[in-house]
Structure formats: C-alpha cells, structure tokens
Amino acid sequence: MTGTARRGARSRASSSTDGEGDRALHSTKPNQRIKKDRSKDHNSLQIFDVNLKALLGLGVFTFLIALFFIYHLIQPPHEDAEIPRVVTPFPAPKVMDLPMFQGEHKESLYWGTYRPHVYLGIRTRNPQSLIAGLMWIGVKDGRYFMRHVCQDADELNTYGWTHHNGRDYGHQVLVDQEMTLATSFLKYKGNNSGYGGDWAVRIDVQTEKSKLNEEMLRTAHLFFYVADESGNALRLGRGVTNDHQDSVLALGSRTDVGGWELHLKSTDNFEVHYSGFKTPHIHNLSELVQENLGAQARNFGRLQLPDTSDDSPNILVFQISATTPFKGDIAFVSGAELTSPRVEERVSSLTGTPLTGQLNKKQNEFDEKFRRCFNQADKLDLESMTVGKAAIANLLGGIGYFYGQSKISLPKAYGSTIEYVIQCTLVSACFLPKLTRRWDIHICLDIIGHWLDLMNIDGWIPREQILGAEALSKVPEEFVLQHSTNGNPPTLFLVLHDVVCSMKRNKYAANISDEISSFLERSFVRLEAWFQWFNTTQSGKDPSSYFWHGRDNETIRELNPKTLSSGLDDYPRASHPSREERHLDLRCWMLLAADCMHSISELLLKESELGQEYGLTAKVLSDFDILNQMHFDNAHGAYFDYGNHTEQVRLSWKIVEAGGNYPSRELVREVVENPILRLVPHIGYVSLFPFMRRIIPPQSWILEKQLDLISNRSTLWTDFGLRSLARTSSMYMKRNTEHDPPYWRGPIWMNMNYMILSSLHHYAKDRISMGTVRSEEGKGKRCTPVYRLDVACAIDHGRSL
C-alpha cells in the first residue's frame, strides 16, 4: 500500500453518476414499509374465503412461472449473458460529450491529415469516412518501387512535415533518391461548403537536373485516390471519361458532407489513367494498384492503370503521369448538391494563384505562432528554428483518427472464450500532447479526452490501441490481444500537471480557463479511477513500491524478458521477473500522478480529505530517504531497479527439436548462475527518473553524481543526445532475441532527452552556486564541490543535445 490514497475505483465510480445508479438499484428492491402496511390490510379483510385466497395465490404463482419460461424461450442465449467487467465502460458521462468539444470545435477538426501511417492521407473524424491519399513510384538502382505507407525500408532521404498547424494547413517535403516531392494541405470553410468544409492538396515534383536525361526519372507517376469506407459508390468525372478539358476526377454523395466533387488542375502537361475497385479492404490498396500496374506492364509494356473499373466502385485511383518538374492542385468541394453551390468559383479559389497566396499566408501565420508560443526568436539560429518547427509540425501532423475493434483478454472464469471485442474511437498523436498544450490547448484536451473515454469500470485503459484494418495490417498478432493486468505509463499526467500549473498562474484567458475547469471537473472521476487502478494493481510487495506487470518469467528466447508495459520495451530489468521487483520509473510516474491529482483537487476545491490523500501519497513517494533505501547504489552513485537478478545470462545457439518437425538451430537463453535479490546494475534512462521528477534536493551530493553520469561520454553522453543505456552496461546494444535488435539499449530517444533537459533547466533556475555542500549524515564523506548550475549551463547542454 502507498500512502493513504488507495481506494477502490469501483466505489469512486458509483459516486459519480448523479445518483442514477443508486436509484436504479433501489428500484429493484421492495419497499419494506409498504410491504408491511399491505400485510396489515390483508389481515383485516376477513370477508374472503381462505380457499379463494389460496386459489388466487396459486394462479399468480403459475402465471409468473409461465412468464419466466416464455421470456427465456424467446431470448437468444447471448443476450442473456452478463457483459464481462473488464469490457464494461466506465459509468460516468463521457469527456468528449462536453459542449466545448461540440459545434464549431467538432466541425473545424472534421477533415484533416488523420492517417499518419501513410505519407499523405486525409480523412474525417468519422468511423466510416471518405478518405483520400497519395502514392507515387520511386526509382532506385534502375527499378521501380511503390511508395504509400511510411516505412524505413523505402529508404527515403527525408520525409516529414516542415509546417503543420493541426487544423487547416500543412506542408511536407519528401526526398526519394533523386526526386523531391512536396505536398501542401489547406482546408477552407465557405458559405456554400458542406459539413467540415472544402480542402486542397498541392503536389510539386522536382528531379535533380543532372538526372533529367534518364528516362525513368524524367516522368513522375503519381497516384491520388479517393475511397469511401461506407461502401458508397463513387462516380468518375468527365475529366477522366469524356472531356479531358474538364477538371472533375470523381464525384459522389454522403450524408455527412453532402454531394462532393474532386478536381485536378495544372498548367503543366499530364496524362490521367484510372482504376476503380469495389472492396471493403482499403488497407491493401497499395497491393491492388501494384497488381494492376504489373498486369499492364506484362501484357502491354505500359506502366499505367488500365482505365477500367468494377461496377459501383467505392475506391477510385487516378494515375497522374507528367514530365518533371510538375505542379498540380487537387481540390475537394463539399455541399455540391446545394441550389447555388458555385463549384467552379470555389475550385478556382482552391487552385492556382489563389491557392499559392493562401498557402503563403498560412506558412507565415505558422512561423509567427511558433515564435509567439515558444519565445525562441532571439535565442536560436536559423537551423535550430527549422528543426524546432519540424518537431512541432510532425507532432501535429502525426495526429490520427482511429476507429475499430479492440480485442480484450477475458479472465479464465469465462471458460474457452479468451477474448472480447469492443468498438473504440481514438484521436491521438505520437509521444503525448505536452507540446500541443502550448500550441493549441483545445486540440490537447481533445486528445486527452479521447484517451480517458476508453476507460473501463475498473479504471483500466487498454495498453495498445490497434484500431481498424489499416492498423491491424501493420501489427504482429501477438501484440493485438490486450490484458487488463497491464497498463502503459500514465503520461497524460505530464501535460495535465502543466495545464494545472498554468491555470494557477492565470496563463489563460477567462473563457479558456472556464473550459479547462469544466474539462477537469468532468475528467476528475476518471482520473481518480485511473490513479487507483495503478495504485492497486501495480503495487509491489514493499510499501510505496511498484512493478510493471506483463513480463514473461518463463521465456527461453529473450536475453532479458521485455517490459512492454513500461514503454521502454527491452530496457534491461531484473533477469528473472517476480513479484519482488521494484521498478524505479513506475514509482516516479506514481509520484507525478499523485502530485497532479492533489493539484487538481485544490484547483477544483474538492473536499479537503480527498486532496489530502493524494498529497500524503505524493509526500511518501517523494521521500528522499525512502527512495534511496529502495533504489540508490552508493558504489555507482546511481538509481536502479530491484529484483531477482543475475548478470550471467546469455543467448547461445542450440539444436531445438519441436514435435515431429526437423530439429532447428536457434538462439536460446542460458542462465549461468542463479539470480539473487539485488539492485539491477544498468545505468540508463530509468536511472535518471528521480532526476527527471526532481526528487533529488538541489543541495544533495547525489545531484552531482547524476550530472556526472549525464556528462560522461563513457556512460550516457553523446553529441546528439543521451543514450538510453550506458556503454558500460552488459546489455549495451545487445540483441534481445535472434530477431529483436536493440531498441532501448543505446539508441537516443528525443522524448526522454526532452524531460532530462527540462529538469536541467529546473535545477538551473535554482541557481545553485554554493562552492561546497555538507555531506549527508552517516556517509562519512567530506565536503564535495557542487556543479555551478545556471540558465546558461542548461542552454549549453540543450544545444549540445
């Protein structure tokens, strides 16, 4: 148990439903007073014969029995089954039902580049959306390759957003060998637009001048597609079928955006070919296009789509072939069935010179907002500013909308059924919305709200959200099923902590402060349940200790059993997983969560007892002496995990026989010596969690040791950021299995470096300039020089990183 804040999420949940649950429960119980009164009345009526009363009673009883059997005969068995608790939604109003997320906010974010797994993908925030996207043919070593889904195997020199405001504008540059492809996205809401407005995409293709004579590089082959996930039939436009002077590629109609048209305009010469498909499997569109191109190339020697279509296709792919350089504009207009849609006028405003003007304006607005939000105009050189803009642009451009089935593992009590499927909706982005808070607080809260609404009745949020066929097609099967014993770090508390601090410092306008207060008020019961789920299910054997669940203690393939739930996957933990483990990073996450809940309680003026519980828990978890007793190693001057561990573990090649199959040679885990309970001696990101959470007092000699570890090139320091694991570790850059290369065993992770830099800045602001500090009592150490920390020091560290 940790502190005094441990209470069941179930009891918290039941108190949050405005009494509806209690009223429903009471309605199923007989009113004892009424029952007693009625019995008195019956006893006073002596005029009825006893036999008549018995007959009536028997008739009522028989009637009830008949109703019972009739009900169960007509009810399908599955409808009578109880919904498993693990998939029972949290019994409180949803966060995303708040008024602040409806109306203009909802419509303004309806369309977007919400398909971050492809190089350019557009969709609505609707489970069954109209989607659009871009493919192209790249050339490498004299061969053609289809580009669509973002993957390292494509070996693009560069790809990513250079500008993106998260709402209605984005610009990206993709460098594929000798070809440079730039795309710009713009959204516009006019008087005649349908719901969500119109949008445009500009595509600009350039090839290195020195390569223009090469036939394969001289012609660019682009593939722009539109698909309807609802299965609605799409129609080819006149610009493809009859009149090539017409700009209409495709058109259709939907209940959300109304009638729509897709136009292509360019002053350059180009050819258009097409294919139409009728299939629910949009996730394998790349393969469909490649098969069509391959058949054409084999049969006719032409690299072009066949200009054929299935009946009533729900996918249309348009091949745009042009000599480079080429620039073309694609415009999507909605509400085209209105009486006066002024389609041509709207298309003209979204293409050509008007589009150039709007894109330039949006880029300037982005640049100005970046300087205003991050106040870095006078502190960073041009190169650093470019990197900073790309960082926030890719965070915002990486926001995705996902909808689909989440597979949840059921407890063994449910027999042979091992999984349960639930429908989920999620808007999310990479890392977390910490930077998004400073850029657009409404988008930030929108993302947090979607995550909190995924919570079940026990306060558990499934660790992985693999929603939809496109997502499932990229994830190995073993990671799909979710287990209610495992949860990812509660990183949302990082941004909530920042939001609350800004509220207390009056950083927001009055109307925004009101919205944030409403958001926190609605979210509070869910945050409580989330905290309690962690505080109970992830607690360790020792008071104020925690350990990540889900490690495999029977593996014979992994050098060190992975800790996927921690988010640090293959970071080395105790060699032999057990309940005796104490995970340092989870303890620090719980400190953050308790401190944040305490701050929210104070901000919302919640009952003092409730706030005190979280405050006491935070106090226990921030106790420096307890932390050191559990996790500090004097010899290394570093913080470590604790568990059943030995360093004498290795992977060895062995001949393994499997059933009736032929023996195979495999890498198998081999333990050379028995493990013992001890600190796990691996210096890395986990070791720095107390520093990142600022638990170490500024005057402590232990702070100096952390700075030594950070700045030492033989441990963590590089010119590009801190390594995830020290070079001195026995696990440094070691493969975890034959097929798993090192992930958190040396590679540099920007999110962790960001938090370390933030803490350097925190300690720098304290301006620790004293020459010496007294050694801690009982250590027997003399006075030790302390690093002089100031703002310049932190900035220098930041520039080096």
Side-chain angles (χ1 to χ4, degrees):
M1 303 293 285
T2 301
T4 57
R6 202 173 295 216
R7 285 200 277 166
R10 189 174 186 176
S11 63
R12 302 264 177 131
S14 63
S15 65
S16 65
T17 55
D18 298 330
E20 292 180 6
D22 289 340
R23 287 197 296 272
L25 180 64
H26 292 165
S27 67
T28 64
K29 297 180 180 179
N31 189 309
Q32 299 299 327
R33 180 178 300 174
I34 294 175
K35 186 176 181 180
K36 185 176 181 180
D37 291 342
R38 285 178 178 174
S39 66
K40 288 182 179 179
D41 291 342
H42 286 198
N43 289 336
S44 63
L45 296 176
Q46 303 294 335
I47 61 174
F48 291 105
D49 185 83
V50 174
N51 291 334
L52 179 59
K53 290 198 297 179
L55 184 62
L56 287 173
L58 180 62
V60 171
F61 178 78
T62 304
F63 177 72
L64 292 176
I65 292 294
L67 284 180
F68 175 85
F69 280 106
I70 292 172
Y71 175 82
H72 283 274
L73 283 173
I74 65 174
Q75 288 293 323
H78 69 275
E79 290 188 8
D80 196 38
E82 178 186 359
I83 298 178
R85 184 175 180 85
V86 71
V87 293
T88 301
F90 191 79
K94 288 199 170 186
V95 178
M96 292 310 299
D97 288 341
L98 282 169
M100 63 182 291
F101 297 124
Q102 309 306 312
E104 183 180 353
H105 170 89
K106 188 173 184 178
E107 184 176 5
S108 70
L109 295 174
Y110 195 60
W111 283 105
T113 54
Y114 299 136
R115 300 174 63 220
H117 56 289
V118 298
Y119 290 112
L120 176 66
I122 301 163
R123 66 166 296 134
T124 65
R125 291 179 23 159
N126 186 319
Q128 298 294 313
S129 175
L130 190 67
I131 67 173
L134 177 69
M135 307 179 198
W136 74 92
I137 291 179
V139 178
K140 181 184 177 184
D141 300 329
R143 299 178 61 191
Y144 291 115
F145 294 89
M146 180 65 74
R147 313 300 198 196
H148 181 212
V149 177
C150 297
Q151 52 189 0
D152 290 338
D154 288 347
E155 297 183 352
L156 267 63
N157 303 55
T158 299
Y159 70 92
W161 299 98
T162 61
H163 300 75
H164 202 299
N165 64 13
R167 288 186 175 272
D168 57 11
Y169 166 71
H171 178 78
Q172 68 173 330
V173 177
L174 309 105
V175 181
D176 188 356
Q177 305 302 317
E178 284 77 23
M179 183 178 76
T180 299
L181 178 65
T183 73
S184 298
F185 171 75
L186 179 82
K187 192 167 61 177
Y188 178 76
K189 173 67 175 176
N191 293 331
N192 295 307
S193 302
Y195 187 81
D198 307 331
W199 50 262
V201 171
R202 168 162 290 176
I203 305 171
D204 190 342
V205 188
Q206 306 285 335
T207 305
E208 285 189 18
K209 292 182 179 179
S210 61
K211 304 289 185 179
L212 286 178
N213 292 328
E214 297 183 20
E215 179 64 28
M216 296 180 75
L217 295 171
R218 198 163 54 236
T219 302
H221 298 284
L222 311 173
F223 301 83
F224 197 88
Y225 60 87
V226 60
D228 194 312
E229 292 181 318
S230 299
N232 294 325
L234 312 181
R235 290 178 288 153
L236 288 165
R238 288 173 53 84
V240 179
T241 56
N242 299 319
D243 182 5
H244 292 290
Q245 299 302 313
D246 197 310
S247 65
V248 183
L249 293 178
L251 59 160
S253 181
R254 285 177 55 90
T255 56
D256 55 349
V257 301
W260 58 267
E261 295 182 4
L262 190 72
H263 292 248
L264 168 63
K265 287 199 171 186
S266 175
T267 57
D268 299 325
N269 293 324
F270 62 90
E271 290 184 21
V272 175
H273 298 278
Y274 69 90
S275 282
F277 307 98
K278 183 175 179 59
T279 173
H281 304 300
I282 297 175
H283 65 278
N284 62 354
L285 185 55
S286 303
E287 288 75 16
L288 286 176
V289 173
Q290 289 184 80
E291 289 172 6
N292 269 246
L293 289 173
Q296 287 288 101
R298 289 190 298 271
N299 297 332
F300 306 106
R302 297 194 299 261
L303 192 66
Q304 64 183 48
L305 293 177
D307 293 328
T308 60
S309 174
D310 297 340
D311 291 336
S312 303
N314 64 312
I315 304 174
L316 290 175
V317 182
F318 302 98
Q319 178 180 354
I320 306 166
S321 299
T323 302
T324 58
F326 169 76
K327 183 185 294 183
D329 297 332
I330 295 173
F332 173 89
V333 291
S334 56
E337 84 286 358
L338 299 177
T339 306
S340 302
R342 295 162 45 185
V343 170
E344 285 299 324
E345 179 182 335
R346 290 159 59 192
V347 170
S348 296
S349 69
L350 290 171
T351 56
T353 302
L355 178 59
T356 301
Q358 292 185 70
L359 292 174
N360 290 337
K361 180 182 177 182
K362 288 294 182 180
Q363 179 174 323
N364 292 334
E365 290 175 354
F366 176 91
D367 293 340
E368 176 57 33
K369 185 170 183 177
F370 180 86
R371 287 189 290 268
R372 188 172 65 253
C373 283
F374 301 106
N375 193 28
Q376 297 295 317
D378 300 327
K379 300 177 182 178
L380 299 178
D381 55 35
L382 179 60
E383 184 179 13
S384 298
M385 286 280 285
T386 301
V387 172
K389 291 175 184 177
I392 187 67
N394 279 285
L395 179 65
L396 295 165
I399 295 174
Y401 175 92
F402 308 96
Y403 178 84
Q405 297 179 335
S406 185
K407 294 183 179 180
I408 309 298
S409 175
L410 296 181
K412 293 181 180 179
Y414 285 89
S416 59
T417 304
I418 63 167
E419 64 182 50
Y420 195 96
V421 176
I422 57 175
Q423 295 295 125
C424 299
T425 299
L426 178 65
V427 172
S428 188
C430 57
F431 187 26
L432 47 89
K434 189 172 174 67
L435 285 177
T436 312
R437 173 191 68 85
R438 296 180 64 175
W439 182 267
D440 191 320
I441 185 64
H442 291 96
I443 292 179
C444 168
L445 298 180
D446 188 292
I447 292 172
I448 297 174
H450 273 91
W451 273 104
L452 293 179
D453 282 347
L454 294 174
M455 184 176 294
N456 79 352
I457 192 172
D458 294 316
W460 174 63
I461 298 176
R463 196 180 72 80
E464 296 278 3
Q465 297 295 328
I466 309 163
L467 308 177
E470 285 187 306
L472 282 169
S473 67
K474 300 301 176 184
V475 177
E477 181 63 29
E478 63 264 29
F479 298 120
V480 173
L481 190 63
Q482 300 301 300
H483 302 272
S484 60
T485 54
N486 309 337
N488 267 0
T491 54
L492 294 181
F493 281 113
L494 281 170
V495 65
L496 288 171
H497 184 270
D498 290 349
V499 170
V500 172
C501 288
S502 296
M503 285 280 285
K504 290 182 175 179
R505 294 197 297 266
N506 296 317
K507 293 288 186 178
Y508 300 109
N511 61 322
I512 295 179
S513 292
D514 291 342
E515 289 179 332
I516 294 174
S517 295
S518 298
F519 175 88
L520 293 173
E521 190 73 47
R522 174 69 63 89
S523 303
F524 190 77
V525 65
R526 292 178 181 268
L527 292 172
E528 277 194 287
W530 198 30
F531 179 88
Q532 297 300 340
W533 181 86
F534 275 101
N535 206 31
T536 53
T537 67
Q538 308 296 293
S539 60
K541 292 187 69 174
D542 299 313
S544 73
S545 71
Y546 300 88
F547 73 101
W548 296 109
H549 286 48
R551 301 189 70 207
D552 184 358
N553 60 5
E554 298 179 355
T555 180
I556 61 170
R557 295 287 187 274
E558 295 177 288
L559 178 63
N560 188 270
K562 291 191 293 292
T563 317
L564 296 175
S565 53
S566 73
L568 306 182
D569 297 20
D570 66 346
Y571 187 95
R573 308 283 184 165
S575 61
H576 290 66
S578 67
R579 296 191 62 84
E580 282 77 17
E581 281 187 275
R582 301 197 292 255
H583 289 142
L584 174 63
D585 51 334
L586 181 51
R587 176 190 171 89
C588 292
W589 284 122
M590 292 307 298
L591 167 59
L592 168 68
D595 185 53
C596 188
M597 291 301 296
H598 180 228
S599 297
I600 296 175
S601 299
E602 290 184 329
L603 183 70
L604 299 179
L605 302 178
K606 293 290 182 181
E607 54 185 285
S608 57
E609 179 184 351
L610 184 63
Q612 288 175 2
E613 290 182 11
Y614 294 114
L616 290 173
T617 301
K619 184 177 180 180
V620 170
L621 292 176
S622 62
D623 188 292
F624 193 49
D625 292 332
I626 297 176
L627 172 69
N628 292 339
Q629 291 169 18
M630 285 188 168
H631 292 284
F632 188 70
D633 182 86
N634 281 286
H636 290 85
Y639 290 97
F640 297 131
D641 283 343
Y642 177 89
N644 205 25
H645 182 73
T646 175
E647 284 287 282
Q648 300 303 311
V649 181
R650 63 193 181 197
L651 292 177
S652 303
W653 288 103
K654 292 188 177 182
I655 302 299
V656 178
E657 296 186 11
N661 299 328
Y662 290 104
S664 61
R665 186 169 178 264
E666 299 180 13
L667 270 179
V668 177
R669 170 180 158 109
E670 183 179 3
V671 180
V672 180
E673 71 174 15
N674 292 329
I676 60 172
L677 289 173
R678 56 176 292 192
L679 292 172
V680 183
H682 295 286
I683 295 174
Y685 286 160
V686 166
S687 305
L688 295 177
F689 261 80
F691 176 79
M692 286 188 277
R693 290 314 322 140
R694 304 162 192 179
I695 307 173
I696 307 169
Q699 70 276 12
S700 171
W701 66 275
I702 294 178
L703 176 61
E704 177 190 354
K705 299 300 294 184
Q706 309 311 295
L707 297 172
D708 282 340
L709 295 174
I710 288 172
S711 59
N712 191 333
R713 289 184 177 272
S714 67
T715 53
L716 300 176
W717 183 271
T718 78
D719 291 337
F720 310 101
L722 300 187
R723 301 179 182 93
S724 48
L725 190 64
R727 293 175 61 186
T728 54
S729 169
S730 61
M731 293 283 184
Y732 178 69
M733 295 306 290
K734 291 281 186 70
R735 300 181 74 89
N736 203 46
T737 70
E738 178 183 358
H739 306 291
D740 293 336
Y743 199 44
W744 289 85
R745 296 182 181 176
I748 298 165
W749 291 78
M750 184 58 68
N751 49 359
M752 305 303 290
N753 277 271
Y754 178 91
M755 291 195 289
I756 293 166
L757 274 171
S758 178
S759 291
L760 281 170
H761 183 67
H762 165 77
Y763 282 111
K765 287 195 300 183
D766 285 332
R767 299 185 181 277
I768 306 173
S769 57
M770 63 184 69
T772 60
V773 63
R774 294 188 178 277
S775 61
E776 296 186 11
E777 294 183 8
K779 300 298 182 183
K781 296 182 182 290
R782 61 183 178 180
C783 293
T784 308
V786 176
Y787 279 49
R788 177 181 172 85
L789 295 177
D790 54 29
V791 175
C793 173
I795 293 175
D796 286 343
H797 277 73
R799 285 175 176 165
S800 296
L801 293 176

